[in-house]
Amino acid sequence: ARQASKLEFDSIRTVDGVNAEGKPVKVVVSRTGEIRLLDPKTGRTLSNNYIPYGSFLFVTDGQEVQRGDKLCEWDPFNAVIVSEFRGVVRYNNLEEGVNYRMERDDQTGFAEKVVIESKNKRKIPSITILAPKTGEELKNYSLPVGAYISVEDEQEVVSGQQIVKIPRKLGKIADITGGL
């Protein structure tokens, strides 16, 4: 927060999740949410802040904050897909060598599945979250090319868990004149 203010949420949906340290947090699952910082005395809007999908939210609607308080946190280098439900993962149209490949990090020995361009445009890779007991489809997430899959087929997930990481493209200067 840039200054002492009262918060007002606009179109922010969250689910309960846990961060890397295992502490409970609210995970933002809305695409167009904003937090308005209001002057506590007059109610006038001081600033609007867009809250990215997949952010960890540390404040609540109507809360009063002081200058320097942390409102939310997110990964600036990766876009993510977060499960909105507790359930079981089911891979759809994911075939190794066809539309995903295993990428191994030589230093850590850690292997990840990366979605690649497929020759068959009809097979769109996706992940479905199924209800644990009934097997009912709760949500389907399409996977873009370049996505790193963080979960295994038939793995149980909880709401707020990151299931896919999508690296953001960093700006590159094409030639020397681009930097002049």
Side-chain angles (χ1 to χ4, degrees), residues 152-164:
E152 296 297 324
D153 198 20
E154 302 298 322
Q155 176 181 334
E156 283 197 23
V157 294
V158 294
S159 68
Q161 182 175 342
Q162 176 183 307
I163 57 176
V164 175

Side-chain angles (χ1 to χ4, degrees), residues 17-103:
V18 292
N19 63 11
E21 292 87 47
K23 293 181 182 167
V25 291
K26 294 285 187 188
V27 182
V28 176
V29 292
S30 54
R31 300 275 179 190
T32 59
E34 284 186 0
I35 292 180
R36 277 190 279 284
L37 280 75
L38 308 173
D39 186 315
K41 292 177 182 70
T42 65
R44 209 175 85 233
T45 300
L46 301 171
S47 68
N48 282 335
N49 299 294
Y50 166 73
I51 305 301
Y53 173 86
S55 300
F56 295 147
L57 197 58
F58 302 119
V59 292
T60 57
D61 194 11
Q63 180 178 337
E64 296 216 4
V65 294
Q66 300 303 313
R67 178 184 169 95
D69 286 355
K70 187 189 285 192
L71 305 180
C72 71
E73 178 177 88
W74 68 93
D75 183 350
F77 304 108
N78 297 296
V80 295
I81 296 177
V82 173
S83 175
E84 294 179 40
F85 302 97
R86 181 178 187 282
V88 178
V89 171
R90 168 84 36 84
Y91 286 177
N92 301 315
N93 298 320
L94 273 168
E95 297 175 35
E96 187 169 3
V98 176
N99 55 12
Y100 85 86
R101 69 169 184 268
M102 293 300 289
E103 221 172 71

